[in-house]
Amino acid sequence: MTISPPPFDPELKVVLDVVNQSISPTLLPEHLEALRGPGFTKTLDQLLAERDLEHRETIVPGPDGAPELLVSVFSRPGHTTGPGFFFTHVGGMIFGDRFVGVEPVLDYVDQFDAVVVTVEYRLAPEHPAPAALEDSYTALRWTAAHAAELGIDPERLFTIGGSAGGGLTAGITLMARDRGGPVLAGQVIMYGMLDERNDSVSARQIDGVGIWDRTSNETGWDFLLGDRRHGGSLTPYESPASADSLAGLPPTYIEVGSAEVFRDEDVAYASAIWAAGGDAELHVWPGGYHLFELLAPDAELSRAARRTRGEWVRRRLALRRRGPDAAAIASGSCTRRLTRGRPRSAAGRGLDRRWARGYSRTTPRPPTPRGRSARHTTPGMKEQCAMSGSSTATPPRLAGVFDLFTIGLGPSSSHTVGPMRAANAFANSLSPAVLDATAEVRVTLFGSLAATGSGHGTFGAIQLGLEGLRPETTLPSEAEERLTAIGTSGVVRLAGQFAVRCAVADFVLRPLTIAPRHPNALTLSAVDAAGAGLVTETYYSVGGGFVLREGDDEGAIGRDEHPVPLPFATGDELLARCDETALSIAEVVRRNELATRPATALDDGLVAIEQAMDACWRNALTRTGVLPGGLNVRRRAGVLHAHLDVVDPERRPEFWQERVNLVALAVNEENASGGRVVTAPTNGAAGIIPAVLYYALHYTPRSLVQDAHRGIVTEFLLTAAAVGALYKSNASISGAEVGCQGEVGSASSMAAAGLAAVLGGTPRQVENAAEIAMEHNLGLTCDPIGGLVQVPCIERNALAAAKAVNAAKMALWGDGTHHVSLDQVIATMRETGADMSSKYKETARGGLAVNVPNC
Ligand code: SF4
């Protein structure tokens, strides 16, 4: 009897409908040949082209009397030692090769500096059970025996596999238990094929629907077990669900979709482990069909599945590495929160420190292994636990004041300024020979850039960058003139000289493809007249105009590293520097900045930044009508200014709120128009710091002192920069990565700190102000209507500026002691962003963007 299956996840269903056009839910014996045909899986070359991996193919001895085995080993370039993942592939044990389904596991190479081993086991029906099982177990033993040579820590060796590979994982883990090893740190069974009986409720529900339905499963088991399936004796390794006891297994992670054949047998397997007193973590992903994370890797559920699995691995690794101390931390009994490191999600693998644009600061230190965060590279979890009060940890590189405040074009630092810088860098990197041969530049945008690039001016920014223009020096009028010409012809002047095709109509947009490193990715390819690729580069625009090129270990464009005299990596370390030196936060930052430029250049540069902010909002006052983009959002700044001129000609204190609103609204209207804006620390949030700085310059007691202007500007901006650098380094200032809390929240926090400093706050009061402002912006989503940086962005800046003023005043009423530290709130922002649905991270797929579609 067929029972109605649970509904498929709506996002997954869209993909399933497409997949079912080429792959039937029901696979019969006669389909085997087609399944083994080309194109079912990525080739080794494709995998290697997509990732920065070191790889080797090795022939190892097979089981007694059986052929030798081909094994592939993947690791990070320069890898020394780390955890090992022994992978067994997808394919019902009747088709596929050792690379099918390995991609999520290869993520761990970068994420955990792991080594991944995958074996080409023999397939049924030519080689019925237990051939695949014995091959896999033999290769596992070989892996453990050669752990040192492979760079695997033998105490951190895991088995992992999906579908039939999940069944093999369960089987060889049982064999390791029963046959004397190897000792395993854990097993990961993904949507595992564990029970040859194939008669569970879920097996009966998934009949003629989905992928790999009940009949397909019958086909697979029949091929695999042959005549023994009906009447012969099976070992528990062949059908793990038949094991008498699951006691004595290593920690186990099991996951499965609610709408797939294997649901009930996987749930039962987890239950049996618990019943035997074992350690298992089970996840049933609602609406997930078989292999959903492989077939729809960009879907929300797929990413949640990968993230959750990765978290389990991370926790297991911490426990294995540190024993009881780490166990205390993992269980939450550590009383101090971690304050450094970044989320290890697919969208943010510890890249900030390599992504700083301009002259980032650093203290010389041993190089951090690529792809590992401070969380994984600091001396140990126990040390991390005490890090908040320690000054001994090696600091990360921090962004400098002129990294965080730069003059550019609106409307977005991540979607306009960053892509323009990336395209400019690409054009400048091409050799004369390549420039001469290039006939076209092809552009592919991924993730948020593809989703909202149209409304953020990304396309034109890329074309301008390819022409050699830079956001710092391009006037809006110049940009407009060039884009008009390019729009008509579809031709850009590559590097300012060579006419090549680069029409927006040819841009490839892949909004559902989220690059592992960051949601804002773009690929640029120079191709010749015959369409042959000459040079291809991928860049990431990571917020605030910062850009990283794929493949550069220290990939900052224009990076400049200078030792600084007073390094700090956290808020606590910043306060420690202040305590040690009796300097203010601004003075600590000033000392560090003076490592790269004279004092006059620093102060003049800061004043120039303030002047650019001032010019920006005053420009907006001259404009009327609606903002560009099609939403018909009215410009309000000019009207408000005219009104204030009447009611408040003397700029009286009771109108401070209106004046702050005016500056914030005006800056953001100018930004929305593609005008000249100071990124602070992003364009979307560019109105907050100018508005609060305006307050500092006109409404604070210090503003009444003669010639105070320059001192207020420098103290405000240097203090704000210290806070901004902490967000940049320890969380994110990218709305596409952590939502609007990373943009507006960070700017509000920076502004609160700057104002608190101008108001005479102590370093602890300043840190308190920064913390308060962010604490009450936590969770702020990014959902701009139409993908335009207008609604809610413009008003949000005004509100956040007011919040910053209040936070600074509130902090000044206290003595600097407070419950929540700035480091803790930064960590909270980071983790909240990691948990936030991608719908609310600058994709225009949720919130106001979908509920107010025709504003
Ligand atoms: S909602 Fe916030 S993060 Fe998103 S575009 Fe607007 S200002 Fe930027």
Side-chain angles (χ1 to χ4, degrees):
M1 181 184 72
T2 302
I3 318 166
S4 296
F8 294 120
D9 174 89
E11 194 180 9
L12 294 179
K13 178 72 165 56
V14 174
V15 177
L16 180 64
D17 290 342
V18 175
V19 170
N20 280 159
Q21 291 172 16
S22 53
I23 303 177
S24 164
T26 302
L27 300 173
L28 300 169
E30 55 266 36
H31 296 139
L32 183 58
E33 194 178 333
L35 282 174
R36 289 180 173 182
F40 183 80
T41 181
K42 280 189 179 168
T43 63
L44 176 60
D45 285 346
Q46 287 170 322
L47 289 173
L48 293 177
E50 292 171 358
R51 295 166 185 266
D52 187 15
L53 294 171
E54 226 154 60
H55 151 259
R56 76 188 227 206
E57 299 283 285
T58 304
I59 303 291
V60 307
D64 285 346
E68 292 176 318
L69 298 168
L70 177 57
V71 163
S72 298
V73 182
F74 298 92
S75 62
R76 185 177 60 80
H79 170 85
T80 52
T81 190
F85 290 84
F86 182 84
F87 175 72
T88 39
H89 73 80
V90 168
M93 288 179 248
I94 58 175
F95 66 94
D97 62 23
R98 62 197 179 284
F99 306 121
V100 184
V102 74
E103 284 179 85
V105 188
L106 288 180
D107 286 349
Y108 299 161
V109 171
D110 199 33
Q111 199 170 349
F112 302 117
D113 196 10
V115 176
V116 173
V117 179
T118 179
V119 59
E120 192 72 42
Y121 56 75
R122 287 170 292 167
L123 300 177
E126 295 88 338
H127 303 283
L133 194 61
E134 293 294 350
D135 286 355
S136 300
Y137 180 63
T138 301
L140 173 65
R141 289 180 61 100
W142 174 87
T143 300
H146 294 77
E149 173 197 331
L150 297 173
I152 293 174
D153 173 355
E155 293 192 0
R156 293 188 284 157
L157 176 60
F158 292 74
T159 50
I160 184 167
S163 189
L168 285 172
T169 292
I172 61 176
T173 304
L174 286 166
M175 292 166 95
R177 179 195 67 176
D178 298 344
R179 295 185 183 179
V183 174
L184 296 169
Q187 63 170 333
V188 179
I189 299 170
M190 305 180 287
Y191 26 92
M193 182 176 169
L194 303 175
D195 190 346
E196 62 82 25
R197 288 170 293 186
N198 195 29
D199 63 355
S200 66
V201 171
S202 58
R204 280 179 277 140
Q205 286 178 306
I206 307 302
D207 201 353
V209 295
I211 283 287
W212 192 263
D213 71 353
R214 184 185 185 196
T215 304
S216 309
N217 208 28
E218 282 294 301
T219 303
W221 281 113
D222 282 348
F223 274 145
L224 187 61
L225 299 175
D227 293 342
R228 288 199 302 131
R229 184 162 183 219
H230 306 286
S233 61
L234 302 177
T235 69
Y237 315 125
E238 293 168 318
S239 181
S242 67
D244 287 339
S245 169
L246 296 183
L249 292 175
T252 299
Y253 185 89
I254 298 178
E255 64 185 312
V256 70
S258 70
E260 68 170 295
V261 162
F262 299 135
R263 181 194 66 213
D264 293 345
E265 60 199 67
D266 286 15
V267 170
Y269 203 73
S271 296
I273 292 174
W274 293 321
D279 174 351
E281 181 166 322
L282 170 69
H283 291 269
V284 180
W285 295 105
Y289 45 76
H290 192 49
L291 306 182
F292 69 88
E293 71 154 325
L294 301 177
L295 296 168
D298 299 326
E300 195 71 38
L301 202 70
S302 303
R303 282 187 280 143
R306 283 197 300 276
R307 186 169 61 243
T308 306
R309 185 191 312 136
E311 274 301 301
W312 180 86
V313 170
R314 184 189 62 74
R315 292 197 303 276
R316 298 313 315 173
L317 290 174
L319 290 166
R320 296 297 300 189
R321 196 184 305 137
R322 295 296 160 201
D325 292 337
I329 293 167
S331 67
S333 61
C334 175
T335 56
R336 303 287 296 272
R337 291 297 308 271
L338 304 182
T339 57
R340 292 174 63 185
R342 289 173 43 82
R344 311 306 296 159
S345 70
R349 289 184 185 123
L351 290 164
D352 281 8
R353 293 167 204 157
R354 305 199 304 273
W355 291 4
R357 168 179 47 72
Y359 28 80
S360 299
R361 309 279 183 265
T362 183
T363 290
R365 63 170 185 169
T368 300
R370 184 179 170 280
R372 295 177 70 180
S373 72
R375 186 171 287 187
H376 297 112
T377 57
T378 42
M381 300 298 276
K382 193 168 183 180
E383 289 87 338
Q384 284 187 14
C385 200
M387 192 183 297
S388 295
S390 167
S391 62
T392 56
T394 307
R397 304 175 180 97
L398 288 183
V401 64
F402 295 115
D403 297 327
L404 291 157
F405 302 121
T406 60
I407 300 170
L409 295 173
S412 168
S413 47
S414 58
H415 288 54
T416 318
V417 175
M420 190 168 171
R421 286 197 172 114
N424 177 283
F426 179 75
N428 288 336
S429 73
L430 301 178
S431 68
V434 170
L435 284 169
D436 205 32
T438 300
E440 180 182 359
V441 175
R442 292 184 181 159
V443 179
T444 305
L445 302 178
F446 301 91
S448 178
L449 289 184
T452 63
S454 172
H456 285 60
T458 306
F459 307 158
I462 290 171
Q463 292 170 318
L464 294 174
L466 289 173
E467 293 211 329
L469 297 177
R470 293 188 297 127
E472 299 86 343
T473 53
T474 304
L475 294 172
S477 56
E478 185 186 3
E480 200 174 322
E481 180 196 323
R482 284 306 308 146
L483 289 176
T484 302
I486 296 168
T488 311
S489 63
V491 170
V492 301
R493 298 184 304 211
L494 185 59
Q497 304 176 49
F498 300 83
V500 305
R501 181 169 174 78
C502 183
V504 169
D506 299 335
F507 284 20
V508 176
L509 305 182
R510 298 179 60 188
L512 288 180
T513 300
I514 306 298
R517 286 186 166 182
H518 194 276
N520 293 336
L522 67 150
T523 296
L524 302 172
S525 300
V527 300
D528 65 17
L534 301 170
V535 174
T536 296
E537 298 280 9
T538 295
Y539 298 87
Y540 302 93
S541 177
V542 300
F546 291 76
V547 171
L548 172 76
R549 183 175 59 188
E550 177 74 52
D552 284 355
D553 275 351
E554 297 295 328
I557 291 173
R559 182 181 196 81
D560 180 11
E561 295 177 11
H562 292 274
V564 294
L566 298 172
F568 60 90
T570 66
D572 281 357
E573 289 181 11
L574 173 59
L575 292 177
R577 297 291 88 79
C578 293
D579 289 345
E580 291 158 12
T581 59
L583 295 174
S584 69
I585 288 175
E587 286 164 337
V588 166
V589 177
R590 171 180 290 279
R591 292 273 178 98
N592 290 341
E593 291 289 336
L594 293 180
T596 57
R597 59 177 58 77
T600 48
L602 174 61
D603 290 344
D604 289 351
L606 293 172
V607 170
I609 291 291
E610 189 272 331
Q611 287 172 343
M613 290 175 172
D614 193 72
C616 175
W617 72 265
R618 292 185 192 280
N619 274 344
L621 303 186
T622 64
R623 306 187 203 283
T624 56
V626 297
L627 294 169
L631 283 185
N632 293 322
V633 173
R634 274 188 308 112
R635 296 175 187 269
R636 283 177 289 178
V639 176
L640 177 56
H641 183 248
H643 178 68
L644 283 173
D645 271 354
V646 174
V647 300
D648 180 36
E650 295 160 353
R651 206 160 47 207
R652 296 194 304 276
E654 59 263 40
F655 283 96
W656 74 264
Q657 177 78 76
E658 284 74 14
R659 294 281 178 187
V660 165
N661 283 347
L662 170 66
V663 175
L665 295 175
V667 168
N668 285 84
E669 287 181 2
E670 190 66 2
N671 180 59
S673 314
R676 199 165 173 74
V677 174
V678 176
T679 301
T682 66
N683 279 29
I688 297 162
I689 286 172
V692 181
L693 180 53
Y694 181 92
Y695 180 94
L697 287 167
H698 296 95
Y699 295 101
T700 55
R702 192 163 152 190
S703 67
L704 302 175
V705 177
Q706 199 173 7
D707 297 329
H709 188 101
R710 192 175 174 95
I712 291 174
V713 168
T714 53
E715 176 153 32
F716 186 103
L717 293 179
L718 289 170
T719 306
V723 173
L726 294 176
Y727 285 110
K728 178 78 185 77
S729 181
N730 296 331
S732 172
I733 56 170
S734 165
E737 194 173 6
V738 294
C740 195
Q741 55 173 357
E743 297 205 13
V744 162
S746 296
S748 184
S749 180
M750 293 166 67
L755 179 58
V758 171
L759 288 169
T762 65
R764 278 176 174 71
Q765 288 172 317
V766 169
E767 184 253 6
N768 189 193
E771 181 280 316
I772 292 170
M774 175 54 82
E775 184 178 327
H776 304 288
N777 276 300
L778 287 173
L780 198 61
T781 59
C782 171
D783 54 353
I785 296 173
L788 296 164
V789 193
Q790 297 179 13
V791 183
C793 318
I794 297 173
E795 283 180 359
R796 184 168 289 176
N797 272 252
L799 272 288
K803 209 177 267 189
V805 173
N806 202 3
K809 290 179 177 176
M810 208 178 279
L812 266 289
W813 277 103
D815 63 2
T817 55
H818 48 287
H819 282 291
V820 181
S821 74
L822 177 59
D823 289 329
Q824 287 170 324
V825 87
I826 290 174
T828 304
M829 187 269 269
R830 180 187 73 224
E831 290 165 16
T832 303
D835 290 340
M836 192 181 283
S837 165
S838 67
K839 286 191 288 189
Y840 306 114
K841 294 197 267 194
E842 213 161 352
T843 56
R845 291 196 293 122
L848 290 172
V850 297
N851 286 309
V852 193
N854 297 311
C855 175

